[in-house]
Each structure stands twice: as structure tokens, then as C-alpha cells.
Amino acid sequence: MSGDEVRHGVKLSSLDQEVFPDAGVTKRELLDYLEAVSGRMLPELHDRLLSVVRVLRGQGPFMQKNLPKYTPEWVERRALWADRSRREVVYALCNDLRTLLWFGNQRAIEYHTTLFRGEPANGPTHLILDLDPPADAPFSLAVGAAKLVREALRKDGLDGAVKTSGSKGVHVFVPLAAGQSTEDIAAATRAVAARAERIDPALGTTEFVVERREGKVFLDSTRAGGATVVSVYSPRHRPGAPVSFPVRWAGLDDVKPADFTVHTVPGLLGDGDPWTEEMPEPFVLPADLVEEGHTIPIARVVAMHEGKRRARAARESGS
């Protein structure tokens, strides 16, 4: 087999090379995978600003947000001002198979999107909890934390769908009706995390500082506003090329992240799409959840201010 071909109008090259060390996946196999799941993945990517993790031969992985100058003109894009870097960033919109295959040929392994579609003012389409267990913890810990989050949600009339992160954790997505403010959604996310922590504080924690988590699962409520999240069905830059895969709540105890890889996922899916099948109808957030959330400080901001205070105290004590 040759190392070059044209597929859906995209010239593909070096197809028989491994996409990154320990992937166990060639570029051809990556592209085959992306094509196989495109019918399920593209609706999730549609009209969301895309950032990708690429791996060039002989180099480490890097996150690419700004489209390179050699990007084909047919790739849809949207420019957005980035306050942090004080510059305009031109993001791709991965709205069709040709674009997805072009990114795959660029050795784009991971596909991360904004929580909003179109303009930031549209607000997040989902409330998201990222459940991050300690590095060496069994996956069952993340599963237990997901159940805590679901219990907290259901006590307030909400529910969501769950997927593996493709790494060691899980993501819980709660679909939202349009027209809710980003600030209220961020507040509600903090409140859900706090309520889940109260259900079982020995399992879950909202502590942002890693050293203080005491082996518990971090209930990360910071995926809101301008944050990004790895897309469902996206491969990850991990040995064996695992995939962020949707899991039915009823089957969560019976899986592990390594079950879902570029090689296995197409066969597991068949004709179904567990992500859309498990996703409830969009919710309007309950007022009590939003109100409680507005009383909870943003964890990252608290940690940042505390770090500054500690640094200042250390300087003063050493002077």
C-alpha cells in the first residue's frame, strides 16, 4: 500500500507512519477512525471554535488554536480576540468531513472545542463537570464521583450524559436551554460540584490545589465560559490512542478507559450513538442552584490569590 492517497478531496500523505510514539496507530488508521465516527463527531464539533493537539514527527505534542497560513481556503474559520495574549486568533470550525480529514492528515490527534456554538455571547450549550481522580487511582473512583454528581443533579430535577475523558477521568454533560447567562451557568456548575462534595466528602473534593486533595477525585467546576473540553469521540495523545467515549450510566461500573480506542470504537458503536441517545432534553437551571453558586468563589481565582499571598509572605519573612 502506498503512503499517499486522495480522500474526499483531501491529499493525504505518510499514511503508514505511526502518528506518535506508543500510539499503535498509523496515520491511515487515524483517518479511517475519524471517517468512521464523523457522522457522530461532526455534529458535536459543528460551529464550535476548534483547538487541536498535533504531533509532528520527532517532536512533542502541542496545542494549536490559531490556524496556520497554509490552511486551505475551504476550511471554515472565525476570528476571536484573545484578551490573555492580546491578539486576534483565527480558529477553525470543523463543520464537514473534508475539514476533519485535513486535520487528521496534519497529525491532529485531539479535538477540543468551546462550550458555545457560534459567538461567545450565545453561552455554553452544556453545564460540564470534569471529574479528575488522582494519577494512580483506579477508574472506579472516577465512576463513584460521577454518581455523586448525578445524585446532586437529580435532586434538583436535572440529569446528564457521561463520557470517559480518554485519560483517567470522566466528564458529565448537562444540556442547557438557550438564553441562560454564562455567569449563571458557571455559578450553577460550582453549586453542583459543592453539593456532590457534601454527599460524600471522603470521595469528592472541590479543592483546586492538587496537594490538598488527599487522594480524592477533583470535582472540577471550571469548565465554563471561555473554557474548552475534549470532544466526544476524540482520540487522545496517550499510549494506545484511547478515545473520549460516551458510556451509558447503567454500564459505567463495567468499563475502563482502555476499552475505548481508535481500534475498538467503530466496532463498539455499530449503528448507534450512545451520546445522543443518553443525552436528556435541555434544561433551564433551577434558581436555587444558580443562587447558591453565586455565593461560591471561583476555585481558580481563590487559588491564585492565595498563591500570591503566600509568595508575598515568603518574601517578607526572608527580608
Side-chain angles (χ1 to χ4, degrees):
M1 300 175 71
S2 76
D4 299 85
E5 66 178 67
V6 176
R7 199 183 301 187
H8 298 281
V10 182
K11 184 177 179 181
L12 309 174
S13 61
S14 306
L15 293 177
D16 299 321
Q17 294 174 358
E18 189 176 36
V19 288
F20 60 87
D22 298 323
V25 173
T26 64
K27 194 197 278 192
R28 185 189 307 280
E29 290 169 327
L30 172 66
L31 290 160
D32 288 345
Y33 169 78
L34 292 173
E35 188 165 4
V37 301
S38 61
R40 302 168 182 87
M41 189 173 175
L42 285 170
E44 302 306 317
L45 298 177
H46 192 268
D47 264 1
R48 298 185 191 272
L49 307 184
L50 179 68
S51 303
V52 294
V53 173
R54 295 176 60 197
V55 185
L56 304 184
R57 290 192 71 194
Q59 298 181 28
F62 64 97
M63 177 72 82
Q64 175 185 293
K65 296 184 178 183
N66 210 16
L67 277 176
K69 289 185 171 58
Y70 56 79
T71 303
E73 61 180 17
W74 43 260
V75 172
E76 292 186 62
R77 62 202 72 195
R78 180 166 291 129
L80 193 69
W81 180 258
D83 286 329
R84 186 174 297 178
S85 56
R86 307 299 300 167
R87 67 188 178 109
E88 189 175 69
V89 177
V90 180
Y91 290 90
L93 301 176
C94 190
N95 290 345
D96 54 42
L97 177 57
R98 182 164 63 158
T99 301
L100 186 60
L101 292 177
W102 181 79
F103 272 109
N105 191 58
Q106 297 294 309
R107 294 178 183 267
I109 311 300
E110 300 188 6
Y111 296 77
H112 297 248
T113 62
T114 51
L115 310 190
F116 58 85
R117 294 189 194 274
E119 299 298 328
N122 294 336
T125 58
H126 295 79
L127 179 156
I128 297 173
L129 271 296
D130 179 1
L131 311 180
D132 185 19
D136 299 324
F139 186 62
S140 58
L141 220 59
V143 170
K147 292 178 179 179
L148 289 186
V149 167
R150 194 184 197 202
E151 183 178 344
L153 290 168
R154 296 179 89 172
K155 284 180 177 178
D156 222 338
L158 303 173
D159 206 350
V162 62
K163 68 182 180 73
T164 66
S165 68
S167 182
K168 56 185 171 57
V170 298
H171 296 149
V172 178
F173 276 56
V174 179
L176 299 174
Q180 302 177 79
S181 79
T182 297
E183 292 75 16
D184 284 350
I185 295 167
T189 310
R190 295 194 295 274
V192 171
R195 292 179 179 191
E197 180 181 32
R198 290 200 293 267
I199 294 170
D200 188 352
L203 173 59
T205 179
T206 56
E207 175 56 64
F208 189 81
V209 179
V210 175
E211 294 75 18
R212 296 183 186 173
R213 293 180 190 163
E214 301 175 332
K216 303 173 187 178
V217 179
F218 178 40
L219 310 175
D220 185 355
S221 61
T222 63
R223 303 283 179 161
T228 63
V229 67
V230 70
S231 173
V232 66
Y233 300 115
S234 171
R236 301 302 303 269
H237 181 262
R238 305 283 189 278
V243 166
S244 180
F245 191 76
V247 182
R248 301 185 192 283
W249 283 105
L252 199 53
D253 286 315
D254 303 320
V255 303
K256 56 186 184 297
D259 294 340
F260 312 115
T261 71
V262 164
H263 290 301
T264 65
V265 161
L268 292 172
L269 283 171
D271 295 327
D273 180 8
W275 190 235
T276 55
E277 292 162 11
E278 286 282 291
M279 192 68 69
E281 290 298 310
F283 294 98
V284 174
L285 292 168
D288 69 289
L289 196 68
V290 174
E291 289 166 8
E292 179 181 341
H294 279 300
T295 69
I296 301 171
I298 299 169
R300 181 182 286 115
V301 174
V302 171
M304 179 184 70
H305 288 314
E306 183 174 339
K308 289 180 178 178
R309 282 196 300 270
R310 287 185 172 189
R312 185 168 58 247
R315 287 195 304 270
E316 289 171 354
S317 65
S319 60

